[in-house]
Amino acid sequence: MTPLACYLLVAALMFSIGLAGALTRRNAILVLIGIELMLNAANLNLIAFWRYGPHPEKLTGMIFAIFSIAVAAAEAAVGLGVVSEMHRHAHTTDIYAMDRMKGREVDARNYFIHSAGCGLSHHGDSVADSHCANSCIWRGCALEARQAQSLCDAGDWFDEFCTLTFANCICARSGGMDAWAGGARDS
Amino acid sequence: MHGQAVRETVNFTWIQVGAAHVDLGWVLDPLSSVMLVMVSFVGLLIFIYSTGYMKDDENYTRFFCFLSLFAGAMLGVVISNSILLLFMCWELVGLTSYLLIGFWYQKPSAAAAAKKAFLTTRVGDVFFLLGMVWLFSQTGTLLFYNSGAGSMEAGALTGLLAQPAAWGLTAAGAIGLLIFAGAAGKSGQFPLHVWLPDAMEGPTPVSALIHAATMVAAGVYLIARVYPLMAAGMPSGGTTVALTVVTWVGAFTAVFAALIAVAQNDIKRILAYSTVSQLGYMMAGLGMGGVAVGMFHLITHAFFKALLFLGAGSVIHGCHGEQDIRKMGGLKSDMVVTFITYSIGMLALCGFPLAFSGFWSKDGILEAAQHWSVAKAPFYMLVFGALLTAFYMTRQVAYVFFGVWRGGKPAHESPKSMTAPLAILAFFAMALGLIGTPAWPWFHAFLDGRVASFNLMSFTESGLPGLMFSSTVVVLCGLWLSWKIYGDRSPRPTEPDALEKASPMVWGWLRDRLYVDELYGATVIAFYSWWARVADWLDRRVWGGAVAGVAESFALWARLNRFLDTNVVDGGFDTGCSGLSGSGGLLARVQTGRVQTYLRILALGVVALVMILIWSSRP
Amino acid sequence: MAYEEREVRAMSFIFYVLTALTVAGALAAVLLKNTVHCALALSVAFTGMALLFLNLDAQFAGFAQFMVYVGAVAILVVFAILLTKGSETPTGGVFSRTWLMGLVIAAGVFAVLGWAVMGSMKALPQLTAVPQVTVLQIGNALVGRYVLPLEIVAVLLTAAMIGAVIVALHERSEVAKEGQK
């Protein structure tokens, strides 16, 4: 068990912990934290190889690690900026709210017709005044939209989510973000 | 025995197949010329008669259409030099006979009679065809006379004589018998006579022309035409097998039909049986005395039988369609011309001596029979037949013209268009006798190509005066006997006939035509119906079933194909497509839109790749 | 083998302590429910890492790590958490419903990495002397051999800064709009 191996194992452990965090946490910021841990583990790897490598006087590992730190910092800055921007729109940092990349099912016709008039997000507003609520009648979401409205009024909502967004009539149910417009159900 | 007659032929090849060729042609010799004259002249008179008789019929045009076709075909038979052409015209004659018998086809009895006539003569025609084909194959030619190469000429005949056939016959004899079978059908010899009486369903002119004068005579003419074949190899003083058969059949028919005629009550039916009987005489005459004897009787019979039929037609017309002689009577004063002409015809038929042609022609036959070397029985049969002929004719005349009128409306005389031909025929019925007397046998000489000489001394030839005397006695006996029984008495229609009272059983047999039709019905017809049913069953079930089976198998195949197409091809394709879209849908579920999912998959992918990398780089 | 026995020596005690610290910090960072606690644990993890660097005689890297990560990134994370109201306790659960799957995958990755390391221990380089690295040397290297990466990183940082400014601008206009309402 060489020291290098030990350090590499530590790095691997850190990396896995960071990956586990990135894969399992629901908050976007925690995903970024996981990513930072992974980057740190990589840095440790670099330094360890520099220390126990054949030519430490070349400083390759060290310089690499420094650059890595710099890049990681920049990336963290940008990433966190994006997260706060996201929060401004969706009023949540739950990554489950960000599934715009999802392949929508058929009935896109209905979907876009209904969402044509709804172009604003309403932060904290009751759903009632928005014609999004009226247009969100696809697949029985109308009921849930009304529910969302009432829940919003009472202030009792979950995950700071109480709005209808542009082209994304989201009807939510307390208990889990698993009822979405378009009948999209999570696996 | 025939001499060197003048003969003109016109032959041509109709079909040529390689070396074989089918020839047709026409011949003009004494035999065909007398037939030509007779057929055209009698035919002319009957055509004139028909214009009056059929005046009120709505199918007047169709009648003359068929009648003209018949006349053309009959003339074709008579002048044909090719046995094939003769057969073709023979068949045409049979066809027009069928069409004319069934002229009033709406009557079931007429339609049935037409069918019976056609089918019965068909039986004879099969044998005729066989004989024809055999003759052609043996002699190699269809022509009768062809400058020495014809089938009736010496070269062919010797060849046929040399060829043995079955049962001790030569080819010549066998072919002759086969051809006689055909003639027997057409000329109503026993046992193929059954159609002739039924043929009286047709209009009277048809009966007169076809079934008295011409068509039935075609059979006799055919025998006369192929006489060289029938007589081939005749030993001197003897006769051939074929001619013997002809004689016996003829003699038997003569007596058989005469017996039946005695007990008939339909005016035309009596005459029909009389025709059958006289045809028997003609055949016997041919067989025993040769062509001239038979042909002379044929010519005279044509005239007086046509006369009798036309007279019967006149009577029927005058009695408003009544045909039962028991419902007539006393017409000698109402229909004078008809009575006189009918009597002349009747006397000619009976063979009343000297003034009537029938006497001379019948005596010619009796003379030949008397001198026949084989047997004497035909002579006695023919004499008995003459007695019967006189008997039944007198009976008929007594019933129809004498006594009192037993019918409904009073009778009237027929128009001139009908009575004029009667008069003309009556004249010839008497005058024709003059050309056939032994004193001046012009007819016989003409046929032989000789010149006849007038010689009264020929009456003194051995046996001739005796024969003439005995035949006269026989005729007068018959006449007197019948007059005695039937005389001026007019029994009512419901009363039984005088003879019937005497012997009801025999009368019954005779009236029922000696049950020949019933015999056929029980045997031939029954078998034929059974066979027709079998054939129908075969056709519907077996052949039809086979066809239906093939069709059904095709339908089955089509259904199978459709099933395969719908379920296997389409279904497979649809399943494939739905599977594709289903799996596509499944795969699309990976696109959750959530980053974590993507990240997880990335991590999995990296793990897999690293493992592969490590594994592959191991030493 | 005597050679290996000579080479194999127990890791120093300080190594284990530092490892424990780092790993504990990392675990806390991913497991805790309160997001702010996570951020603080993250700082601990970063510190641990910096100390590990120091243990590895990479002084410059260690201090750089400390300054940048702990001093900037961790603070940034805290700022972000505060801005997004992450301090509130979430009601829907902090872990995804399929957390086990994620855990398994992470464990798999660790297994593969561990296997790779253990499997190639013979190939790994042996002990070397402690390198004497001066900042001067690092500076020379940066502007000498590695000047290109340096410039690129500079560009990258500039871009990141501009991006952050744009995001902030957007934020301001958003705030302005909401202010009107």
Side-chain angles (χ1 to χ4, degrees):
Chain A
M1 202 63 171
T2 60
L4 178 59
C6 296
Y7 277 104
L8 291 178
L9 279 174
V10 170
L13 187 61
M14 288 285 286
F15 185 86
S16 311
I17 290 168
L19 185 63
L23 292 181
T24 55
R25 292 299 294 245
R26 279 173 81 155
N27 201 331
I29 295 170
L30 283 160
V31 173
L32 278 164
I33 286 171
I35 289 166
E36 288 306 321
L37 283 170
M38 283 196 275
L39 279 162
N40 266 293
N43 282 343
L44 182 60
N45 233 339
L46 286 164
I47 298 295
F49 270 110
W50 168 75
R51 170 67 178 77
Y52 294 107
H55 297 286
E57 67 280 2
K58 288 240 181 81
L59 293 176
T60 314
M62 170 90 83
I63 303 294
F64 202 152
I66 288 167
F67 282 138
S68 170
I69 290 167
V71 169
E75 169 257 327
V78 171
L80 289 166
V82 168
V83 168
S84 8
E85 190 62 27
M86 193 193 80
H87 177 82
R88 210 164 291 123
H89 275 285
H91 292 275
T92 181
T93 50
D94 192 328
I95 55 166
Y96 283 11
M98 300 162 216
D99 60 352
R100 299 272 282 276
M101 289 288 283
K102 181 184 168 68
R104 291 289 166 193
E105 288 177 23
V106 208
D107 241 60
R109 171 180 49 91
N110 262 344
Y111 180 49
F112 282 111
I113 289 170
H114 288 305
S115 61
C118 179
L120 298 170
S121 66
H122 309 270
H123 173 74
D125 274 352
S126 72
V127 175
D129 69 325
S130 160
H131 43 274
C132 280
N134 295 330
S135 61
C136 191
I137 54 174
W138 184 28
R139 297 236 192 151
C141 281
L143 183 61
E144 288 158 64
R146 299 266 178 272
Q147 264 183 336
Q149 166 193 345
S150 59
L151 282 172
C152 273
D153 288 340
D156 181 15
W157 195 234
F158 75 100
D159 258 358
E160 68 273 339
F161 183 67
C162 179
T163 183
L164 296 166
T165 60
F166 174 68
N168 200 357
C169 259
I170 298 171
C171 307
R173 237 189 322 192
S174 61
M177 297 281 256
D178 52 7
W180 299 101
R185 293 282 180 264
D186 296 341
S187 57
Chain B
M1 269 58 95
H2 56 280
Q4 298 304 308
V6 172
R7 186 169 288 120
E8 284 248 0
T9 59
V10 173
N11 301 322
F12 62 95
T13 306
W14 184 37
I15 300 169
Q16 185 122 18
V17 181
H21 48 98
V22 172
D23 299 322
L24 303 178
W26 301 287
V27 63
L28 191 67
D29 61 356
L31 179 59
S32 60
S33 50
V34 299
M35 284 298 290
L36 274 174
V37 169
M38 184 274 280
V39 168
S40 351
F41 190 65
V42 173
L44 171 70
L45 294 171
I46 293 175
F47 269 65
I48 295 167
Y49 180 90
S50 308
T51 59
Y53 192 82
M54 302 297 287
K55 192 160 47 103
D56 299 318
D57 196 297
E58 61 186 1
N59 292 305
Y60 186 82
T61 317
R62 182 160 63 96
F63 181 81
F64 276 97
C65 175
F66 292 154
L67 208 62
S68 310
L69 181 63
F70 167 81
M74 189 65 210
L75 291 171
V77 167
V78 160
I79 63 166
S80 167
N81 189 31
S82 161
I83 196 165
L84 179 66
L85 182 62
L86 197 152
F87 186 70
M88 281 153 58
C89 295
W90 182 271
E91 292 298 322
L92 257 179
V93 163
L95 170 73
T96 46
S97 161
Y98 162 82
L99 290 170
L100 285 164
I101 294 170
F103 184 71
W104 293 311
Y105 54 84
Q106 295 92 346
K107 255 202 316 174
S109 53
K115 198 168 61 172
K116 184 173 178 180
F118 197 75
L119 288 173
T120 315
T121 50
R122 217 73 192 105
V123 174
D125 292 347
V126 168
F127 291 105
F128 183 12
L129 187 66
L130 279 171
M132 184 174 92
V133 169
W134 193 351
L135 183 66
F136 177 57
S137 71
Q138 282 296 137
T139 58
T141 178
L142 286 168
L143 298 167
F144 292 133
Y145 298 102
N146 193 13
S147 320
S151 54
M152 294 297 132
E153 287 167 319
L157 290 175
T158 42
L160 284 170
L161 277 175
Q163 186 84 13
W167 306 312
L169 288 170
T170 59
I175 295 170
L177 283 174
L178 285 171
I179 294 179
F180 174 62
K186 237 346 163 260
S187 294
Q189 303 300 297
F190 182 85
L192 296 173
H193 67 282
V194 290
W195 66 274
L196 235 168
D198 284 9
M200 297 300 120
E201 294 284 344
T204 309
V206 167
S207 307
L209 184 60
I210 299 180
H211 305 121
T214 44
M215 189 182 94
V216 294
V220 180
Y221 167 77
L222 176 67
I223 303 299
R225 178 53 78 197
V226 299
Y227 194 80
L229 179 68
M230 311 280 286
M234 185 186 299
S236 58
T239 187
T240 61
V241 176
L243 288 176
T244 315
V245 170
V246 169
T247 308
W248 280 108
V249 171
F252 180 75
T253 306
V255 175
F256 181 83
L259 280 171
I260 296 176
V262 172
Q264 298 301 312
N265 288 320
D266 184 318
I267 192 172
K268 281 170 70 172
R269 222 156 271 252
I270 297 173
L271 292 174
Y273 280 106
S274 166
T275 308
V276 174
S277 170
Q278 294 303 307
L279 286 167
Y281 269 93
M282 286 177 230
M283 288 295 186
L286 269 179
M288 294 187 281
V291 173
V293 171
M295 288 307 293
F296 187 50
H297 192 57
L298 188 151
I299 300 293
T300 57
H301 172 267
F303 280 89
F304 59 69
K305 195 42 77 59
L307 166 64
L308 284 170
F309 266 107
L310 294 185
S314 175
V315 166
I316 292 165
H317 184 89
C319 295
H320 316 288
E322 180 57 64
Q323 288 188 269
D324 193 332
I325 56 173
R326 297 171 297 181
K327 298 193 183 123
M328 301 173 190
L331 289 176
K332 68 176 190 302
S333 38
D334 296 321
M335 302 173 78
V336 179
V337 177
T338 308
F339 169 62
I340 293 172
T341 51
Y342 199 90
S343 311
I344 291 169
M346 170 247 176
L347 290 171
L349 173 60
C350 298
F352 202 82
L354 295 177
F356 299 94
S357 57
F359 171 72
W360 298 110
S361 57
K362 204 180 286 191
D363 254 26
I365 298 172
L366 290 174
E367 186 195 349
Q370 201 180 35
H371 295 126
W372 205 42
S373 52
V374 179
K376 283 289 176 273
F379 174 67
Y380 295 115
M381 287 162 80
L382 292 174
V383 168
F384 181 55
L387 177 74
L388 288 173
T389 308
F391 186 83
Y392 65 69
M393 285 312 291
T394 313
R395 172 173 174 271
Q396 186 190 43
V397 168
Y399 263 97
V400 174
F401 292 104
F402 292 92
V404 299
W405 172 247
R406 289 161 291 182
K409 294 190 291 183
H412 62 83
E413 181 59 275
S414 303
K416 274 264 188 330
S417 60
M418 288 169 73
T419 53
L422 291 176
I424 298 168
L425 284 170
F427 170 73
F428 277 100
M430 293 166 68
L432 272 178
L434 291 173
I435 63 166
T437 61
W440 187 50
W442 179 89
F443 188 82
H444 308 71
F446 177 69
L447 282 181
D448 288 341
R450 294 179 278 114
V451 175
S453 53
F454 187 76
N455 185 7
L456 276 173
M457 282 295 115
S458 56
F459 277 120
T460 54
E461 276 176 35
S462 68
L464 195 59
L467 179 65
M468 286 166 65
F469 179 72
S470 43
S471 68
T472 310
V473 164
V474 162
V475 169
L476 289 171
C477 267
L479 268 137
W480 175 79
L481 206 60
S482 183
W483 186 255
K484 195 142 142 41
I485 299 173
Y486 295 104
D488 259 321
R489 287 166 236 197
S490 302
R492 276 188 293 282
T494 48
E495 271 183 43
D497 197 279
L499 280 184
E500 189 178 356
K501 279 187 268 198
S503 168
M505 190 173 69
V506 178
W507 184 263
W509 291 349
L510 294 181
R511 193 194 50 222
D512 292 335
R513 308 179 305 268
L514 290 173
Y515 304 111
V516 180
D517 282 310
E518 283 75 9
L519 177 71
Y520 285 156
T523 54
V524 177
I525 309 296
F527 170 73
Y528 197 73
S529 318
W530 173 83
W531 185 244
R533 276 201 298 278
V534 167
D536 176 53
W537 179 86
L538 273 177
D539 189 53
R540 271 188 296 116
R541 290 294 153 88
V542 179
W543 321 134
V547 171
V550 170
E552 196 53 46
S553 72
F554 270 112
L556 210 71
W557 183 245
R559 275 200 286 277
L560 177 71
N561 273 333
R562 188 186 68 184
F563 172 78
L564 279 175
D565 192 50
T566 313
N567 295 81
V568 176
V569 177
D570 279 353
F573 191 71
D574 288 342
T575 313
C577 287
S578 62
L580 259 164
S581 69
S583 54
L586 271 173
L587 280 172
R589 289 177 131 215
V590 171
Q591 306 296 328
T592 54
R594 275 185 262 126
V595 167
Q596 265 184 359
T597 314
Y598 300 153
L599 197 57
R600 286 179 196 187
I601 292 169
L602 260 171
L604 272 173
V606 165
V607 164
L609 281 169
V610 165
M611 286 182 74
I612 290 168
L613 198 65
I614 295 173
W615 224 294
S616 64
S617 66
R618 269 168 182 238
Chain C
M1 318 269 193
Y3 180 69
E4 274 179 13
E5 269 175 359
R6 260 209 315 279
E7 306 316 320
V8 171
R9 63 161 198 260
M11 298 297 289
S12 59
F13 173 71
I14 194 75
F15 169 74
Y16 288 115
V17 167
L18 289 176
T19 306
L21 179 71
T22 314
V23 172
L27 279 170
V30 299
L31 287 176
L32 292 172
K33 278 205 164 47
N34 192 330
T35 329
V36 177
H37 296 169
C38 293
L40 294 172
L42 186 67
S43 313
V44 170
F46 287 158
T47 312
M49 284 296 282
L51 291 171
L52 276 170
F53 284 172
L54 288 173
N55 200 30
L56 280 167
D57 301 311
Q59 294 90 0
F60 188 80
F63 283 112
Q65 157 94 2
F66 201 72
M67 279 194 294
V68 172
Y69 268 109
V70 178
V73 174
I75 306 298
L76 192 58
V77 169
V78 172
F79 271 135
I81 287 166
L82 290 174
L83 277 173
T84 61
K85 300 197 178 69
S87 54
E88 296 162 13
T89 319
T91 52
V94 290
F95 291 101
S96 88
R97 278 182 308 158
T98 52
W99 59 269
L100 187 62
M101 192 61 196
L103 192 63
V104 164
I105 290 171
V109 169
F110 177 66
V112 163
L113 285 168
W115 176 52
V117 167
M118 300 311 286
S120 60
M121 262 207 299
K122 288 201 192 65
L124 288 173
Q126 302 311 313
L127 276 177
T128 52
V130 176
Q132 301 297 326
V133 177
T134 60
V135 178
L136 180 64
Q137 280 175 320
I138 291 170
N140 279 338
L142 272 175
V143 297
R145 193 161 175 229
Y146 301 104
V147 65
L148 187 60
L150 180 73
E151 300 302 335
I152 290 169
V153 167
V155 170
L156 181 75
L157 288 169
T158 314
M161 207 155 59
I162 293 168
V165 166
I166 288 168
V167 166
L169 270 173
H170 195 71
E171 172 183 337
R172 197 177 296 173
S173 64
E174 282 286 321
V175 168
K177 267 197 238 161
E178 286 184 28
Q180 284 161 16
K181 293 213 172 45

